[in-house]
Amino acid sequence: MILAVASGKGGTGKTTVSVNLARVLNSKVLLLDCDVEEPNAHLFLNGVVQREEVITLPIPEVDESLCDGCGECGRFCQYHAIVSFGATPLVFPEMCHGCGGCMKVCPRQAIHEMDKRIGVVETFQAENIILIQGRLDVGVAMAPPLIRAVKAKLQNGTHAILDAPPGTSCPVIATMRDTDFVLLVTEPTPFGLHDLRLTVETVRELGIPLGVVVNRVGIGDDRVHVYCREQNIPVLLEIPDDRRIAEAYSRGHLIVEALPEYRELFERLVTVVFEHTTCDLHVAGSQGTNACALHNGR
Ligand code: SF4
Ligand code: SF4
């Protein structure tokens, strides 16, 4: 199973949920930290970097002696990363997605590619968890290619938990795409509800089953719960607003280890998600029978 843990804004407890879920799994699990601008899952795990791989993007470079300024490359590039005004084009590497299209359409073969470093993918081992995290270089804004490099480490037959970046933009979609299930972490506040609505719409666009984790239950109001009920979205876990959890977090400790009484909550969450993911697959092949609450959360 490939599970993405996401939230509409930062600081809701997304990484807390991801690392604690990974820890309570009984088997080997891949934990992919796709929050490549600010990876922090490693802060909660006692592991050392075993491998570091530099990730590059192929960026076009124009040979002035071959270019006749026809502008085909600029007309092709939907990201405006290569622009020609009737002369040798200018390339803006920070906007280039490395798709190679401009090189293909150039009628004079005046474009070749140069590798530009965008970041690294680091691999840690911490007991049952293999943590793979992307780390974008400072000043690089191109997160999706690095996220795809992190996701390329997924292994057939090994469960994976993907800690998504916050928000609903391209990096989040790059993370959630092709996952089996999305857990949306939110808080019971008006801001939490606002961001939850946006992320629910995004996940539904992608057609992935989803469930909600409400963190810091006890603050705010019940509007998140009312919304989930109205939308038929299952609330799969409620984490209380417990000062000891915040203290454990600030020390880089896992909740399930610092406060063992919470372990069962996370174990139950794993069970529920697994059951319903299996159920979802079962439902898909069973003439449309749909008794699965999570399935209805689409
Ligand atoms: S490689 Fe793709 S994104 Fe980059 S400049 Fe060429 S067409 Fe644009
Ligand atoms: S398509 Fe090739 S020849 Fe035409 S402007 Fe671009 S680099 Fe120059």
Side-chain angles (χ1 to χ4, degrees):
M1 181 189 63
I2 304 173
L3 168 69
V5 182
S7 70
K9 71 180 185 73
T12 53
K14 186 171 51 58
T15 301
T16 300
V17 170
S18 302
V19 291
N20 282 281
L21 270 182
R23 176 57 87 219
V24 298
L25 276 173
N26 282 328
S27 54
K28 172 180 154 188
V29 59
L30 293 169
L31 175 59
L32 306 191
D33 194 341
C34 297
D35 192 357
V36 297
E37 289 183 36
E38 210 171 343
N40 62 351
H42 67 279
L43 298 174
F44 300 90
L45 302 169
N46 292 322
V48 288
V49 179
Q50 292 185 326
R51 214 168 38 251
E52 182 179 293
E53 186 184 336
V54 172
I55 305 300
T56 60
L57 259 192
I59 302 293
E61 200 173 63
V62 181
D63 183 338
E64 286 184 34
S65 66
L66 296 175
C67 173
D68 66 359
C70 71
E72 273 304 310
C73 50
R75 283 188 286 279
F76 176 85
C77 182
Q78 58 179 305
Y79 303 109
H80 308 296
I82 185 164
V83 180
S84 167
F85 299 103
T88 306
L90 296 172
V91 177
F92 299 94
E94 62 284 357
M95 292 161 72
C96 174
H97 285 56
C99 70
C102 53
M103 190 174 75
K104 287 207 171 69
V105 300
C106 175
R108 297 180 62 84
Q109 285 78 51
I111 298 177
H112 61 273
E113 291 176 332
M114 296 284 290
D115 282 341
K116 175 178 179 280
R117 176 183 156 132
I118 58 168
V120 293
V121 172
E122 297 165 329
T123 303
F124 301 68
Q125 173 92 45
E127 297 175 39
N128 67 316
I129 301 171
I130 298 172
L131 170 64
I132 297 167
Q133 71 175 16
R135 189 184 289 282
L136 212 54
D137 284 351
V138 174
V140 174
M142 206 52 70
L146 186 54
I147 291 170
R148 286 193 286 275
V150 171
K151 289 179 70 175
K153 305 292 181 191
L154 288 168
Q155 298 167 8
N156 267 344
T158 302
H159 297 306
I161 297 171
L162 279 56
D163 187 6
T168 53
S169 57
C170 297
V172 185
I173 291 166
T175 302
M176 295 194 297
R177 197 182 291 284
D178 299 324
T179 58
D180 298 315
F181 194 84
V182 177
L183 267 183
L184 296 178
V185 184
T186 190
E187 291 174 350
T189 63
F191 286 125
L193 176 59
H194 173 267
D195 293 323
L196 177 63
R197 285 180 196 275
L198 296 177
T199 40
V200 165
E201 284 169 24
T202 307
V203 179
R204 283 179 167 162
E205 281 289 315
L206 293 169
I208 306 170
L210 66 102
V212 163
V213 172
V214 186
N215 194 11
R216 302 195 188 101
V217 170
I219 63 168
D221 52 38
D222 68 346
R223 279 182 274 184
V224 162
H225 289 83
V226 171
Y227 167 75
C228 289
R229 258 199 313 278
E230 286 172 356
Q231 294 290 320
N232 205 12
I233 298 170
V235 174
L236 300 178
L237 174 65
E238 294 181 321
I239 304 172
D241 181 36
D242 183 338
R243 184 187 168 85
R244 296 173 305 157
I245 292 178
E247 288 171 354
Y249 179 88
S250 66
R251 293 192 186 106
H253 295 162
L254 294 174
I255 301 174
V256 295
E257 290 172 352
L259 303 166
E261 63 268 36
Y262 284 112
R263 188 177 182 93
E264 198 189 327
L265 277 184
F266 283 92
E267 287 174 345
R268 216 164 39 219
L269 178 59
V270 168
T271 306
V272 170
V273 170
F274 270 71
E275 275 175 9
H276 285 281
T277 308
T278 310
C279 171
D280 180 56
L281 294 172
H282 176 69
V283 167
S286 64
Q287 318 263 327
T289 308
N290 190 358
C292 172
L294 301 191
H295 204 88
N296 289 334
R298 277 179 192 239

